[in-house]
PDB file of all heavy atoms in Angstrom:
ATOM      1  N   ALA A 102       1.844  52.598 -88.955  1.00 97.00           N
ATOM      2  CA  ALA A 102       1.411  52.307 -87.602  1.00 97.00           C
ATOM      3  C   ALA A 102       1.592  53.518 -86.682  1.00 97.00           C
ATOM      4  O   ALA A 102       0.728  53.777 -85.828  1.00 97.00           O
ATOM      5  CB  ALA A 102       2.150  51.109 -87.062  1.00 97.00           C
ATOM      6  N   VAL A 103       2.694  54.235 -86.870  1.00 97.00           N
ATOM      7  CA  VAL A 103       2.965  55.374 -86.023  1.00 97.00           C
ATOM      8  C   VAL A 103       2.276  56.651 -86.506  1.00 97.00           C
ATOM      9  O   VAL A 103       1.597  57.328 -85.723  1.00 97.00           O
ATOM     10  CB  VAL A 103       4.515  55.632 -85.930  1.00 97.00           C
ATOM     11  CG1 VAL A 103       4.787  56.905 -85.142  1.00 97.00           C
ATOM     12  CG2 VAL A 103       5.194  54.429 -85.295  1.00 97.00           C
ATOM     13  N   ASN A 104       2.408  56.952 -87.776  1.00 94.00           N
ATOM     14  CA  ASN A 104       1.938  58.238 -88.266  1.00 94.00           C
ATOM     15  C   ASN A 104       0.450  58.293 -88.562  1.00 94.00           C
ATOM     16  O   ASN A 104      -0.181  59.356 -88.444  1.00 94.00           O
ATOM     17  CB  ASN A 104       2.729  58.628 -89.537  1.00 94.00           C
ATOM     18  CG  ASN A 104       4.204  58.827 -89.237  1.00 94.00           C
ATOM     19  OD1 ASN A 104       4.562  59.352 -88.206  1.00 94.00           O
ATOM     20  ND2 ASN A 104       5.050  58.335 -90.139  1.00 94.00           N
ATOM     21  N   ASP A 105      -0.112  57.148 -88.995  1.00 95.00           N
ATOM     22  CA  ASP A 105      -1.534  57.120 -89.347  1.00 95.00           C
ATOM     23  C   ASP A 105      -2.390  56.463 -88.293  1.00 95.00           C
ATOM     24  O   ASP A 105      -3.461  56.968 -87.933  1.00 95.00           O
ATOM     25  CB  ASP A 105      -1.750  56.398 -90.675  1.00 95.00           C
ATOM     26  CG  ASP A 105      -1.009  57.079 -91.823  1.00 95.00           C
ATOM     27  OD1 ASP A 105      -0.595  58.234 -91.660  1.00 95.00           O
ATOM     28  OD2 ASP A 105      -0.904  56.490 -92.914  1.00 95.00           O
ATOM     29  N   ASP A 106      -1.899  55.335 -87.741  1.00 97.00           N
ATOM     30  CA  ASP A 106      -2.678  54.597 -86.732  1.00 97.00           C
ATOM     31  C   ASP A 106      -2.405  55.111 -85.328  1.00 97.00           C
ATOM     32  O   ASP A 106      -3.048  54.645 -84.351  1.00 97.00           O
ATOM     33  CB  ASP A 106      -2.343  53.101 -86.807  1.00 97.00           C
ATOM     34  CG  ASP A 106      -2.638  52.521 -88.190  1.00 97.00           C
ATOM     35  OD1 ASP A 106      -3.447  53.095 -88.927  1.00 97.00           O
ATOM     36  OD2 ASP A 106      -2.040  51.466 -88.511  1.00 97.00           O
ATOM     37  N   ARG A 107      -1.479  56.051 -85.168  1.00 97.00           N
ATOM     38  CA  ARG A 107      -1.222  56.745 -83.916  1.00 97.00           C
ATOM     39  C   ARG A 107      -0.703  55.814 -82.796  1.00 97.00           C
ATOM     40  O   ARG A 107      -0.976  56.065 -81.619  1.00 97.00           O
ATOM     41  CB  ARG A 107      -2.461  57.495 -83.426  1.00 97.00           C
ATOM     42  CG  ARG A 107      -2.971  58.522 -84.421  1.00 97.00           C
ATOM     43  CD  ARG A 107      -1.908  59.516 -84.773  1.00 97.00           C
ATOM     44  NE  ARG A 107      -2.384  60.500 -85.764  1.00 97.00           N
ATOM     45  CZ  ARG A 107      -1.604  61.409 -86.339  1.00 97.00           C
ATOM     46  NH1 ARG A 107      -0.316  61.437 -86.048  1.00 97.00           N
ATOM     47  NH2 ARG A 107      -2.075  62.262 -87.227  1.00 97.00           N
ATOM     48  N   LYS A 108       0.020  54.774 -83.183  1.00 98.00           N
ATOM     49  CA  LYS A 108       0.719  53.999 -82.191  1.00 98.00           C
ATOM     50  C   LYS A 108       2.014  54.648 -81.836  1.00 98.00           C
ATOM     51  O   LYS A 108       2.601  55.377 -82.632  1.00 98.00           O
ATOM     52  CB  LYS A 108       0.940  52.575 -82.697  1.00 98.00           C
ATOM     53  CG  LYS A 108      -0.344  51.812 -82.970  1.00 98.00           C
ATOM     54  CD  LYS A 108      -0.084  50.430 -83.560  1.00 98.00           C
ATOM     55  CE  LYS A 108      -1.403  49.708 -83.895  1.00 98.00           C
ATOM     56  NZ  LYS A 108      -1.187  48.375 -84.498  1.00 98.00           N
ATOM     57  N   THR A 109       2.544  54.392 -80.668  1.00 97.00           N
ATOM     58  CA  THR A 109       3.858  54.924 -80.317  1.00 97.00           C
ATOM     59  C   THR A 109       4.909  54.130 -81.073  1.00 97.00           C
ATOM     60  O   THR A 109       4.693  52.941 -81.432  1.00 97.00           O
ATOM     61  CB  THR A 109       4.118  54.815 -78.798  1.00 97.00           C
ATOM     62  OG1 THR A 109       4.211  53.434 -78.440  1.00 97.00           O
ATOM     63  CG2 THR A 109       3.046  55.533 -78.017  1.00 97.00           C
TER      64      THR A 109
END
Side-chain angles (χ1 to χ4, degrees):
V103 175
N104 298 320
D105 298 346
D106 301 338
R107 302 302 179 188
K108 297 176 182 178
T109 66

